[in-house]
Amino acid sequence: MFRRKRESLGKSLGSFVHIWHIKWSYHQDGELKKWVDLLSDEERIKADRFVYEQDRRRYIISHGFLRSVLSKYLKRAPKEIQFGEGVHNK
């Protein structure tokens, strides 16, 4: 489903570049709830504003996946991670 190159998460992160890959076609509708449950309230609201279902699904999966991966690196629950916004709400 998701792969990471090089070392395991348990080893020192050092100065490696970690590349993660999401296979969009792999995710079924039943799995979407798993990713939605990881999102913040703000992310859920933003996801609901997408006009096209495909865009909404990709947003949910990518943000849920990001939270899942970061939680492993930071040793925190995915919902504990907070993101800030800068210029142009980015």
Side-chain angles (χ1 to χ4, degrees), residues 22-33:
I22 298 174
K23 291 185 178 183
W24 298 112
S25 60
Y26 182 83
H27 299 280
Q28 304 299 318
D29 289 333
E31 284 190 337
L32 199 59
K33 183 176 178 355

Side-chain angles (χ1 to χ4, degrees), residues 12-76:
S12 171
L13 298 177
S15 60
F16 288 98
V17 173
H18 298 187
I19 299 172
W20 293 82
H21 173 78
I22 298 174
K23 291 185 178 183
W24 298 112
S25 60
Y26 182 83
H27 299 280
Q28 304 299 318
D29 289 333
E31 284 190 337
L32 199 59
K33 183 176 178 355
K34 171 179 99 173
W35 298 115
V36 169
D37 289 344
L38 299 179
L39 301 182
S40 68
D41 292 337
E42 293 82 14
E43 288 170 315
R44 289 180 189 177
I45 291 168
K46 186 171 182 177
D48 288 339
R49 289 190 297 218
F50 280 93
V51 174
Y52 298 107
E53 181 65 18
Q54 180 180 359
D55 294 335
R56 186 177 77 81
R57 288 176 49 82
R58 284 188 173 185
Y59 178 86
I60 290 169
I61 293 167
S62 63
H63 281 249
F65 179 72
L66 174 62
R67 286 179 170 278
S68 177
V69 169
L70 288 176
S71 74
K72 304 274 191 279
Y73 286 104
L74 300 172
K75 295 182 173 95
R76 294 179 175 262

